[in-house]
Amino acid sequence: MVITRRWAAFLMAVGVWTWVIWPRFGLAIYRDDRSFDGGTPTSFLWVHALLIAASLTIGTVVGVLGVRAWRAARGSGVPQNRPGPAAPKNGR
């Protein structure tokens, strides 16, 4: 599979966006009154912590794939952002 540099840049941007947004959300959840009950973490905090961890993991994977695709596209010699040759109509 060949990913163009444009799509690779998009994947990297998604990875960066994930790391900009989710830690800020995590801080807001941590400061929320529903996160602790007498100093003990509540299910509200645990559920959101798991969601944040999953999102950061997925964002990291997507970002790394974007970086790898960017590097692979650089040396592939494939023209970027242009459709490839049309398939023959006779199926050969």
Side-chain angles (χ1 to χ4, degrees), residues 17-76:
W17 176 257
T18 300
W19 277 94
V20 168
I21 294 302
W22 284 105
R24 293 183 60 189
F25 181 69
L27 187 58
I29 293 297
Y30 184 80
R31 292 179 178 167
D32 193 296
D33 293 336
R34 297 170 287 179
S35 295
F36 294 96
D37 184 20
T40 303
T42 63
S43 58
F44 175 83
L45 178 66
W46 286 114
V47 166
H48 284 88
L50 289 173
L51 289 171
I52 292 166
S55 294
L56 288 172
T57 301
I58 292 167
T60 301
V61 169
V62 167
V64 168
L65 288 174
V67 170
R68 291 180 68 185
W70 183 272
R71 289 181 180 165
R74 177 177 49 193
S76 69

Side-chain angles (χ1 to χ4, degrees), residues 4 7 11-12 16 20 22 29 36 65 69-70 77-78 83-84 89:
T4 65
W7 279 108
L11 293 174
M12 290 187 291
V16 169
V20 168
W22 284 105
I29 293 297
F36 294 96
L65 288 174
W70 183 272
V78 175
K89 296 191 186 228

